Amino acid sequence: MNRTGRILLVGALVVVVGMAFRVSWNALRDIANAIGADHTAATLYPFVVDGLMALALVATLALVGRDRTFALRVLGTYTAASLVLNYVHGLVPALHGATVDWGRLADWDPANWALVLLATSLPVGSIYFGSDLVAKVLHHRPAPIPSTDTNAEESTETMMNRSTADLPESTPEPITATVVRLPDPVDFLKPTAPLKPVRALAPIEPPKPRTVPAESSRARRATYRVPEAAKAPRTRRTPEQLLTEARTATAGWPDAQITAEGIRREVRTSPVNARMLRDTLLAERAA
C-alpha cells in the first residue's frame, strides 16, 4: 500500500473511533453521575475509559513481543468494561438523562456492588495502565527496516570497499621471491681425479693417570655402627686393680676431695665402680 492509501486508512479509523466515542459518551457520563461523580467528573469520565482504549490501540501498533501482548490485554479489558457499562445504561431507564445525580445500577445488591466497583476502578486503572503503556512506547527501539533499494545497496557496498581500500593495513607488502640456486648434479659414471695420499695420523698418546690426593693420617670417624668383630678388644680390670689405681691416684688427696666423680675421671671407670672405690678408700682412711 502506498503512502496515500495509508493516510486514508488512518483517517477513516480516526473518524470511526470519534463517532463511536460520541455514541458511548452519554452512557458513560450517566454511569459516572449514578456512582456519585459531580458534573465535571462525569463529563471527563468517558475520556478515562474510551481514551485509554485509544491509547492502548496506538501502543499495540507501536510495540512488539510481550509489550504488544500487554497492550492488547489492556485494550480488551477496557473494551469489555465499556461494553458492560453501556449495556447496563441501556437496561436501566432511570439512568438516562444528565440530571441524575445518584442511582442504582442494578436491583440485585451483589450485581449493583460489582458494577459500582467496576465503574469506580476504571479511573485508577487508567492511571496505572496508561503510564505503563506510555513508558513502554517511549523506551521501545524499533528494529531497522532493511532497504530494498538496489542502488542504495550498491552505493553502500562501494563506499565500504573504498574505505577499506584506503586503509594502510589492508594492502599487504609485496612478497619478494628469493632465488635459490641448486648445486650441479654429480655424474657418478664420470671418472674423478686420483685420490690424494692420506697423511699419516699422529700417534695417540695414552691418557695420563689422574692424580689421587694423599690419604690423611688422621683416622676418620665412622659414620655407621662398627660391628663387634671389628672393634679392638678391651681389657677389663679386676676390682683389686681398680682399687690399686685409685689408691695411687688419690694418695695426695685430702678426704674432702675424694668423691665418686673425681675417682671416675681419674681412673676412667663406671659410676658404680667409682662409688665403690670412694667408699673403700674412705673406710681405709678412717681405720
Side-chain angles (χ1 to χ4, degrees):
M1 183 180 295
N2 54 12
R3 185 176 181 181
T4 305
R6 293 179 181 177
I7 294 176
L8 293 177
L9 182 61
V10 174
L13 177 61
V14 171
V15 172
V16 173
V17 171
M19 291 187 296
F21 181 77
R22 179 62 186 88
V23 172
S24 179
W25 178 280
N26 292 336
L28 296 180
R29 183 190 59 185
D30 295 342
I31 291 293
N33 287 324
I35 61 176
D38 57 5
H39 179 71
T40 304
T43 303
L44 298 177
Y45 188 81
F47 290 98
V48 174
V49 182
D50 294 343
L52 184 63
M53 292 169 54
L55 178 61
L57 179 59
V58 174
T60 303
L61 299 177
L63 299 175
V64 294
R66 299 177 60 182
D67 296 340
R68 184 181 182 184
T69 303
F70 175 76
L72 286 174
R73 290 178 179 176
V74 174
L75 176 61
T77 301
Y78 269 74
T79 301
S82 179
L83 176 62
V84 171
L85 295 180
N86 279 272
Y87 177 70
V88 172
H89 182 266
L91 290 179
V92 183
L95 299 177
H96 299 173
T99 59
V100 178
D101 292 336
W102 184 84
R104 293 177 59 88
L105 299 181
D107 294 335
W108 188 38
D109 289 339
N112 183 61
W113 296 339
L115 292 175
V116 172
L117 178 61
L118 174 63
T120 53
S121 62
L122 289 179
V124 180
S126 297
I127 297 174
Y128 174 75
F129 294 116
S131 302
D132 196 6
L133 289 175
V134 172
K136 291 181 183 298
V137 172
L138 293 179
H139 290 84
H140 174 67
R141 294 182 180 180
I145 302 175
S147 177
T148 56
D149 191 358
T150 307
N151 296 329
E153 293 181 358
E154 292 179 355
S155 61
T156 303
E157 184 177 0
T158 304
M159 292 299 295
M160 290 179 62
N161 293 336
R162 288 180 180 177
S163 60
T164 306
D166 293 338
L167 295 176
E169 293 82 4
S170 61
T171 305
E173 298 180 358
I175 301 174
T176 304
T178 304
V179 180
V180 180
R181 183 178 181 182
L182 298 177
D184 297 334
V186 179
D187 191 359
F188 294 96
L189 300 179
K190 184 179 180 180
T192 58
L195 298 178
K196 295 181 179 180
V198 180
R199 186 174 59 180
L201 299 177
I204 301 174
E205 297 180 358
K208 297 181 180 180
R210 294 186 302 172
T211 304
V212 180
E215 295 183 359
S216 176
S217 59
R218 185 179 179 182
R220 298 180 60 186
R221 185 178 179 182
T223 57
Y224 54 91
R225 186 175 182 181
V226 181
E228 296 294 336
K231 293 181 180 180
R234 297 177 59 184
T235 58
R236 292 189 177 183
R237 292 172 290 181
T238 62
E240 290 76 9
Q241 293 177 348
L242 290 175
L243 181 58
T244 302
E245 293 180 4
R247 288 172 181 172
T248 304
T250 60
W253 293 7
D255 295 344
Q257 192 177 354
I258 298 176
T259 59
E261 182 65 21
I263 296 173
R264 186 187 66 80
R265 292 181 180 179
E266 191 67 24
V267 183
R268 298 183 181 275
T269 184
S270 64
V272 177
N273 294 334
R275 289 193 294 270
M276 182 187 67
L277 294 174
R278 178 200 61 188
D279 297 340
T280 304
L281 291 176
L282 292 176
E284 290 179 352
R285 289 193 176 191

